[in-house]
Amino acid sequence: MERVISFIKPILTIKSVLLDLLFLTFIYFVPAITHLMSLPVYFIEPMRLMLVFAILHTSKNNAIVIALTLPIFSFLISAHPSIIKSGLISIELLVNTLLFFQIVKRIPNAFWAMMIAVLVSKIMYYGIKFSLLSFAVMEGSLVSTPLIIQIVMILIFSGYAYQIMNVKEGEN
């Protein structure tokens, strides 16, 4: 029996590594691909969507790396968003990630943890963006995605977090 277990363990590790690589490739290229499309895919917040997947399906450290690098990677691949906005989005996604992991320790309901984390990170994002626009460091409008769509996406992300965390808790 021990031989079977020792044989299976490397196979599971290889499978995990391959799935991680596939998943990370998907995470990094979806935002770049959506920026190249003429459809307003940005309405679904592809970077946050990929971050939510990373938060819920990988480790905290992995989600932090994704939060910090995803917007910069998108800029390098598609030259969008601008370098300033990429930095701002990286900060927003990092705040989202760190807040989620802190809040979910105190509030075991993943729906509320995700909702609060996204809302606080968005408020911080818009506050900094307002300042950058006011000082002419950045061009554009303050809000480019209609607020109702942002609210719907927050509810979807939060609902997904709730579903995934409940399944994980049920497995334990």
Side-chain angles (χ1 to χ4, degrees):
M1 181 68 164
E2 243 179 78
R3 236 183 198 164
V4 171
I5 292 172
S6 65
F7 176 73
I8 292 173
K9 197 171 185 177
I11 292 172
L12 292 176
T13 303
I14 292 168
K15 181 181 176 185
S16 295
V17 168
L18 290 175
L19 285 174
D20 281 351
L21 286 173
L22 180 66
F23 187 61
L24 289 172
T25 301
F26 179 75
I27 285 174
Y28 278 104
F29 282 102
V30 163
I33 291 167
T34 60
H35 288 303
L36 297 174
M37 297 172 65
S38 60
L39 298 171
V41 180
Y42 66 91
F43 280 0
I44 64 165
E45 297 187 62
M47 287 192 210
R48 189 175 320 272
L49 174 64
M50 298 299 106
L51 177 67
V52 169
F53 286 158
I55 288 170
L56 298 173
H57 297 287
T58 68
S59 68
K60 178 181 178 182
N61 288 338
N62 197 40
I64 290 169
V65 169
I66 296 296
L68 289 172
T69 61
L70 187 57
I72 304 302
F73 183 82
S74 181
F75 171 76
L76 293 173
I77 295 298
S78 65
H80 187 79
S82 70
I83 192 68
I84 293 171
K85 192 168 181 184
S86 293
L88 181 56
I89 293 169
S90 288
I91 292 167
E92 176 192 10
L93 296 179
L94 178 63
V95 167
N96 189 159
T97 303
L98 296 175
L99 278 176
F100 175 79
F101 284 110
Q102 285 302 311
I103 295 168
V104 83
K105 289 179 192 174
R106 292 169 177 78
I107 302 172
N109 185 314
F111 179 88
W112 291 109
M114 185 62 75
M115 180 177 282
I116 293 166
V118 173
L119 283 172
V120 169
S121 67
K122 280 183 173 290
I123 290 168
M124 184 227 49
Y125 168 85
Y126 283 118
I128 295 171
K129 187 176 180 184
F130 178 79
S131 297
L132 294 173
L133 290 168
S134 296
F135 291 110
V137 174
M138 192 175 162
E139 293 180 358
S141 61
L142 181 61
V143 179
S144 55
T145 302
L147 291 177
I148 189 69
I149 293 174
Q150 292 186 50
I151 291 167
V152 168
M153 292 311 301
I154 291 170
L155 291 172
I156 290 170
F157 296 144
S158 300
Y160 183 72
Y162 179 80
Q163 286 297 110
I164 294 303
M165 296 293 278
N166 277 352
V167 168
K168 285 182 181 177
E169 286 176 13
E171 290 174 355
N172 294 331

